[in-house]
Amino acid sequence: MNSSGNVSTTLACGLAGEVVRIFGEVRLRVSGTSMVPSILPGDVISVRHAGPFEVSPGEIVLYAREGRLFAHRVVTRAGSPERPFLITRGDRHYHTDPPVYSSELLGQVHFIERRQMRLRPATGLSFWELMIVLLLRSSDRATYLYLRLAACWPSVFSKWTACRA
């Protein structure tokens, strides 16, 4: 039996999906760390409706699975023309996610809003961003420290994230 927290999360996911399907766009506040340093907890992402053929590898998509929402980077497109799917991965994750089918895909992350700035997500990681990701993948403590430093010195850390103004 679901707890009330799980029920409200499932309802919120369904509502976000309906908003994207009906209006074509939704804005959501991010709470996880799977996309650090590209997307930080507290950032607001703007998602536009998109199908699997409209998204390219390197772009960030939002999908719903098991009553939760995930914003992860597309690694590759695969499948047949009748049943396409995307392979995604959070920047901090070692392993790819299970295939994301059209029925789960809500859209593409179009903008990231962070501290009065509106940023366009980059379609990949620079060399230095990749070095940061490798460090963050190896340690939750390093991720915690990175997030604390990013909160203290936002002007320095905003230059290191995988977003372009």
Side-chain angles (χ1 to χ4, degrees), residues 40-56:
L40 303 177
D43 286 353
V44 174
I45 57 174
S46 294
V47 179
R48 285 193 182 157
H49 180 70
F53 292 113
E54 300 170 74
V55 180
S56 300

Side-chain angles (χ1 to χ4, degrees), residues 51 126 155:
S126 71
S155 61

Side-chain angles (χ1 to χ4, degrees), residues 4 29 32 77 79 96 99 128 163:
S4 63
R29 185 167 304 279
R77 254 189 323 216
T96 58
W128 291 111
C163 300

Side-chain angles (χ1 to χ4, degrees), residues 6 9 47 59 61 70 74 78-79 82 96 98 101 113 136 155 157 163:
N6 290 341
T9 301
V47 179
E59 295 179 330
V61 296
F70 298 88
V74 175
E82 300 81 29
T96 58
Y101 291 95
E113 297 173 34
L136 299 180
S155 61
F157 280 80
C163 300

Side-chain angles (χ1 to χ4, degrees), residues 37 40 114-115 117 129 132 145-162:
L40 303 177
R114 177 182 302 149
R115 293 186 189 91
M117 295 183 296
E129 291 161 344
I132 291 169
L145 180 60
Y146 179 90
L147 293 172
R148 296 292 294 171
L149 290 171
C152 293
W153 293 302
S155 61
V156 173
F157 280 80
S158 65
K159 295 175 186 173
W160 291 0
T161 62

